Amino acid sequence: GESVGLHLPTLSVQEGDNSIINCAYSNSASDYFIWYKQESGKGPQFIIDIRSNMDKRQGQRVTVLLNKTVKHLSLQIAATQPGDSAVYFCAESTNSGYSTLTFGKGTMLLVSP
Amino acid sequence: SQTIHQWPATLVQPVGSPLSLECTVEGTSNPNLYWYRQAAGRGLQLLFYSVGIGQISSEVPQNLSASRPQDRQFILSSKKLLLSDSGFYLCAWSGVENEKLFFGSGTQLSVL
């Protein structure tokens, strides 16, 4: 079936670097995308989302880019901090009366001081 | 503001014992409610969702069941736990016709 996947299972960066986490999706009907951050032993925390009518959206230190042509989503974290260390999940869905988010397996981000 | 409470945080249960995990949401009415399971090193698998009191939809056949006795209460149950039921269970809510999910803090269930 349709699925969301991630290119890199683990990403190691130095504090202060910019991080880029990538995600590929296969459902061309998906029109909503979201990134979550999950720290060990905790529930996923919403970071940023984007609809398919946009190709870029910025938040505080984070930017999500959407390339519908190649079905690719990325999360950019500026000036990465040790507190950013976590697993990051992308998810996609089609609009419906309830959440149909399909999650990828996640990418571990490790930030060294 | 809306908050979601999930308990207990950790649970160790013997095989064959019953299970009851509870989740409540505050600060919103008529939320959509969800139970997810997350196996170690893997993504989130949707188990159940509910769009209203007494309305439960199951996404995967399994040893678990869910109930929604009140608008903001969602319960995950099992009559007899299996070893394969071990995992991290997450409750979540979303607004009506809103895809964004807000997760609880999770329950780590170990079945021994």
Side-chain angles (χ1 to χ4, degrees), chain B residues 4-83:
Chain B
I4 180 169
H5 303 281
Q6 185 181 343
W7 67 93
T10 59
L11 189 60
V12 180
Q13 292 285 97
V15 170
S17 64
L19 172 74
S20 181
L21 302 181
E22 188 164 345
C23 172
T24 59
V25 180
E26 296 178 357
T28 186
S29 296
N30 196 30
N32 293 332
L33 297 173
Y34 310 81
W35 280 110
Y36 280 83
R37 176 168 57 201
Q38 185 176 31
R42 301 185 64 180
L44 292 99
Q45 179 187 35
L46 178 62
L47 302 176
F48 301 95
Y49 69 90
S50 172
V51 299
I53 295 174
Q55 299 179 60
I56 308 295
S57 296
S58 175
E59 289 292 298
V60 293
Q62 58 206 316
N63 184 43
L64 303 169
S65 63
S67 61
R68 185 171 178 174
Q70 300 180 46
D71 181 47
R72 288 170 287 179
Q73 183 186 27
F74 206 24
I75 298 173
L76 183 69
S77 304
S78 174
K79 292 181 179 179
K80 289 186 178 181
L81 284 168
L82 305 173
L83 287 174

Side-chain angles (χ1 to χ4, degrees), chain A residues 58-78:
Chain A
Q58 290 184 293
Q60 187 177 12
R61 281 201 307 119
V62 295
T63 301
V64 56
L65 298 177
L66 175 63
N67 185 330
K68 294 180 288 293
T69 302
V70 295
K71 299 189 185 69
H72 186 266
L73 189 70
S74 68
L75 176 70
Q76 300 179 1
I77 305 174

Side-chain angles (χ1 to χ4, degrees), chain A residues 18-88:
Chain A
N18 296 330
S19 303
I20 301 176
I21 301 172
N22 296 301
C23 179
Y25 65 96
S26 57
N27 187 352
S28 57
S30 295
D31 60 1
Y32 177 73
F33 305 87
I34 190 167
W35 282 98
Y36 285 93
K37 171 187 179 183
Q38 186 177 26
E39 297 176 60
S40 181
K42 298 183 179 179
Q45 178 183 13
F46 168 81
I47 300 173
I48 192 167
D49 58 359
I50 189 168
R51 294 208 174 271
S52 59
N53 60 352
M54 302 174 67
D55 53 19
K56 180 180 180 178
R57 192 172 186 205
Q58 290 184 293
Q60 187 177 12
R61 281 201 307 119
V62 295
T63 301
V64 56
L65 298 177
L66 175 63
N67 185 330
K68 294 180 288 293
T69 302
V70 295
K71 299 189 185 69
H72 186 266
L73 189 70
S74 68
L75 176 70
Q76 300 179 1
I77 305 174
T80 313
Q81 303 168 0
D84 294 327
S85 294
V87 176
Y88 289 79

Side-chain angles (χ1 to χ4, degrees), chain A residues 31-32 34 36 38 41-46 49 51 89 93-101 103-106, chain B residues 32 34 36 38 41-44 46 49 51 59 88 90 94-106:
Chain A
D31 60 1
Y32 177 73
I34 190 167
Y36 285 93
Q38 186 177 26
K42 298 183 179 179
Q45 178 183 13
F46 168 81
D49 58 359
R51 294 208 174 271
F89 292 95
S93 79
T94 56
N95 190 23
S96 69
Y98 67 97
S99 181
T100 57
L101 286 175
F103 288 83
K105 290 184 173 58
Chain B
N32 293 332
Y34 310 81
Y36 280 83
Q38 185 176 31
R42 301 185 64 180
L44 292 99
L46 178 62
Y49 69 90
V51 299
E59 289 292 298
F88 192 52
L90 289 156
S94 69
V96 176
E97 298 200 7
N98 188 329
E99 306 95 325
K100 188 185 299 181
L101 288 173
F102 298 93
F103 287 90
S105 53

